[in-house]
Amino acid sequence: QVQLVESGGGLVQAGGSLRVSCAASGRPISNFAVGWFRQAPGKEREFVAAVSRIGSFTAYADSVKGRFTISRDNAKNSVYLQMNSLKTEDTAVYYCAATPSDTIYRTPKKESEYSVWGQGTQVTVSS
């Protein structure tokens, strides 16, 4: 089974940028589609972005489209989320998740489609 560890969260001012990382171990991340989700205080966890096995296909929530970019480096067994033009409403715990994928185009958007989750990293955007 693959294990996921997020890092790179922190405190940033509105309008700033931050990159969070998801490091995989145990199995090659190239076998998995990977997604980022977030959960703000008092709210349900929501989809942010997903990337297919080899990075050819991506999907984004409307709220982050044009500001966030998901990417992956399978050689480093890692997936990244570059967050630009951050807003206070982006404040949340960010989780990466992985699911085995037999296809190169799959970009799951539902929590139920993912079988492995990291512990999360806190991102706080101040005004």
Side-chain angles (χ1 to χ4, degrees), residues 9 15 46 84 113:
E46 64 176 1
N84 298 329
E113 297 183 89

Side-chain angles (χ1 to χ4, degrees), residues 43-90:
K43 295 187 177 181
E44 294 186 351
R45 191 155 55 184
E46 64 176 1
F47 169 77
V48 176
V51 62
S52 59
R53 275 181 57 187
I54 59 173
S56 302
F57 297 88
T58 57
Y60 295 93
D62 288 343
S63 59
V64 306
K65 205 170 289 184
R67 299 189 298 122
F68 290 12
T69 302
I70 188 171
S71 62
R72 64 191 299 158
D73 186 340
N74 287 342
K76 295 184 178 179
N77 237 25
S78 295
V79 176
Y80 309 100
L81 185 67
Q82 177 67 43
M83 303 181 288
N84 298 329
S85 302
L86 282 161
K87 305 176 181 180
T88 55
E89 51 263 44
D90 294 319

Side-chain angles (χ1 to χ4, degrees), residues 15 31-32 35 42 84:
N31 295 330
F32 298 80
N84 298 329

